[in-house]
Amino acid sequence: MAAVAFLEIIDRAGELGSRHAITRWPCRVGRGYDMDVILDDPHVAPAHAELSLNAAGGVEIRDLGSLNGTSRGHAGRRMMRLAEADRSAPLAPDEWVRLGQTTFRIRLPGQAVAPERLLEKRQWMRSWVVALPLVILLILLFSLQTWNLQDEPEVADVLSDAWGRLVLLLLWVVIWATSGRIATGVSLVSGHTILASVAGVAWVLGDVLIKTVAFSLGIGSEPHLTRVLGIALLVGFLLYKHFRLISRRPRMLLLTHAFLVALFSVGGVGGMKIHQETTPDKIQYQPTILPRALLLTEGLSREEFVREFRQELPVWPQAESIPSSGPS
C-alpha cells in the first residue's frame, strides 16, 4: 500500500533518526501494538495521539487523553503543550510534535527536500599511511624540544618525556574516537589521530615562530598575549574538526561551540599566566627546538637586554696614556 505521509523521528541533535510510512488516515500513534505507528518510549501512552487530514489538505493532530499530553512547536523554539480544552490542532509543514520524550514531524508526498550535498572526499582521514608519519614527526619534535630544554640532556629523560606526551595524545584520540562511536557508530581512530598530530606539530612550531618574531621585533613580554590568542585559535580549530567527525549538526553551530570552548578555557588559563608573569627581576631565556646558537629572551626588549648585559660586564682599569714621541 502506498504511503500517504511519513512520520520522521527527530533525534536529540535535531537530525533525522528514523522514518515510518503512514498508509492511511486517520493514523493512531502510541506505544500499543494496535497502533499504526508504534513508539518505543515509556513516556508515551498506549494510544497517545491521532493524526488526520483536514479539509484543507493539512495534517491535524489530536491528543487521545494521554497523561503527559502532546506538545508542538518549531525547531529551536520552546514546545507548547496543547490545551486541555483544545486537544486538536492543525500542524504547519515544518512543525515538530513531541509525545513523551519522542519528537517527530510529518512529511507529505511531494514536499520539497533539501538539495543534494556534494560528497566530500576525505579518504586520507581514514589512512594510517598519513597518521603514522605525523605521529613519528610529533615524537621527534617533542624529543628535540626536551633535549634543548636541558643543560645536560640524557636520552632516557628525553624519551620518557616524549612518551609521556604521546600517551596524552593517545588518550585524547581515544576520547574522541569513543564519542564518535557512540554518536555515529564509527570511531575513525585514524582521522582523530591525524587531527591531534597536526595540532601538536602546529603547537610546537607555532610557539617557536611567535617567540622568534617577538624577539626580532623587541616586543618583550607582550608575546604572551599573542601566544594565548594563537593557542585559542589552534584549539578552537582542532575542536571544530573533531566535532565534524562525530556530528552532523550544522557547521556554523559546531564552529561557534568549538571556539567558545577554546576561548573560555585557553583564555582563562592564559590570562592567569599573563597576570603572574610580570616584569622579571632577571633576564629569562628559554631554549626551544631551535639551534642553541639562537637563544630567545622573554620579558625584555632589545634595549633592556643590552643595558643589563652591559651592567654585568667587568669594569677594566683604563690604560695610562702614553706620551707621544713626536719631534720636540
Side-chain angles (χ1 to χ4, degrees), residues 16-78:
L16 175 62
S18 60
R19 183 182 288 115
H20 302 272
I22 298 176
T23 57
R24 64 177 183 178
W25 300 112
C27 172
R28 303 179 73 194
V29 182
R31 192 162 40 88
Y33 291 109
D34 57 341
M35 296 292 103
D36 298 304
V37 176
I38 301 175
L39 300 180
D40 187 15
D41 183 347
H43 303 280
V44 171
H48 199 113
E50 182 180 82
L51 298 168
S52 60
L53 203 64
N54 56 26
V59 178
E60 208 170 77
I61 187 168
R62 179 170 66 93
D63 190 89
L64 299 178
S66 64
L67 177 64
N68 293 316
T70 300
S71 302
R72 51 182 290 194
H74 290 83
R77 299 182 182 178
R78 184 178 179 182

Side-chain angles (χ1 to χ4, degrees), residues 12 31 75 87 183 193 233 235 247 251 260 292 305 311 327:
R12 293 188 177 184
R31 192 162 40 88
R87 285 181 171 264
T193 303
L233 291 176
V235 172
S247 175
R251 296 185 180 183
L260 283 178
R292 289 182 176 272
F305 177 81
Q311 292 177 356

Side-chain angles (χ1 to χ4, degrees), residues 149-176:
L149 283 173
Q150 297 180 0
D151 294 332
E152 297 180 356
E154 296 183 1
V155 177
D157 295 336
V158 172
L159 293 179
S160 175
D161 183 78
W163 283 112
R165 299 188 186 187
L166 180 61
V167 169
L168 294 178
L169 174 71
L170 295 178
L171 180 61
W172 177 270
V173 171
V174 168
I175 292 175
W176 283 105

